Amino acid sequence: MIGTVIKVSVLRTWNSKQELLLIFAVPILFFSIFALIFSRGVGMTVKTVRVTVINDIDTEHARQIVKKFLDREEIETIGGVGKTSEQWPIERLARALISQLDTEVVVHFPKTPESIDGSSQPGTSKPAVRLLNEGTNPISAQVVEAALA
């Protein structure tokens, strides 16, 4: 009984050009169209990220890390390297830099050995880093984080 039903379905499909078209041609066409549409956004090149660096450590080691970081091709420096002050704490300075200089990410090397999550890094040669951004481009912070790694 089941064999007869399957045989009738296969014969009906085989003899109907419309059903064959719907089974084979339409999925191939749809996959091709969607592949063309979505492959435009995916590529191997990385868009440059506009970054401003705030270096409060001011040691030779920190300056070398900043220089090596800024030499990366995916990083575009906006506004050079600055420092915080009592009048300009990092949160206020970051907001001003992001809004006025069109900076995507502010990279802050703080004086204290605490990272953004509050965990200290004693005894490491790598200084703590805080990334501040508006959140409009979440991938830019990930690109900067990868460049700092």
Side-chain angles (χ1 to χ4, degrees):
M1 172 94 175
I2 295 175
T4 306
V5 171
I6 292 173
K7 184 179 178 184
V8 169
S9 296
V10 168
L11 286 174
R12 195 181 91 207
T13 303
W14 188 256
N15 290 327
S16 172
K17 292 179 182 177
Q18 293 171 341
E19 288 186 30
L20 283 173
L21 183 71
L22 287 173
I23 290 173
F24 296 108
V26 171
I28 293 171
L29 182 67
F30 271 99
F31 281 123
S32 300
I33 290 171
F34 283 120
L36 285 173
I37 291 171
F38 291 115
S39 68
R40 302 227 192 266
V42 179
M44 296 304 292
T45 59
V46 177
K47 181 184 159 247
T48 59
V49 179
R50 293 180 307 275
V51 172
T52 300
V53 176
I54 308 298
N55 186 4
D56 287 336
I57 300 173
D58 200 31
T59 63
E60 185 60 37
H61 183 63
R63 284 191 290 270
Q64 288 175 355
I65 291 174
V66 169
K67 184 181 179 320
K68 192 181 296 185
F69 168 67
L70 295 178
D71 287 343
R72 307 259 326 207
E73 65 183 34
E74 64 269 13
I75 303 298
E76 177 186 347
T77 309
I78 304 289
V81 178
K83 292 186 178 209
T84 59
S85 66
E86 288 187 23
Q87 288 182 327
W88 288 93
I90 185 60
E91 289 80 12
R92 181 178 174 200
L93 184 60
R95 265 187 256 117
L97 290 169
I98 289 170
S99 65
Q100 294 174 5
L101 290 181
D102 198 28
T103 299
E104 291 178 303
V105 179
V106 175
V107 180
H108 180 221
F109 292 92
K111 288 180 187 176
T112 59
E114 287 190 3
S115 61
I116 195 164
D117 60 358
S119 63
S120 62
Q121 301 172 346
T124 61
S125 62
K126 192 173 181 182
V129 177
R130 292 182 66 192
L131 301 179
L132 300 118
N133 66 349
E134 281 284 309
T136 54
N137 185 1
I139 295 176
S140 63
Q142 294 173 355
V143 169
V144 171
E145 195 173 321
L148 285 168

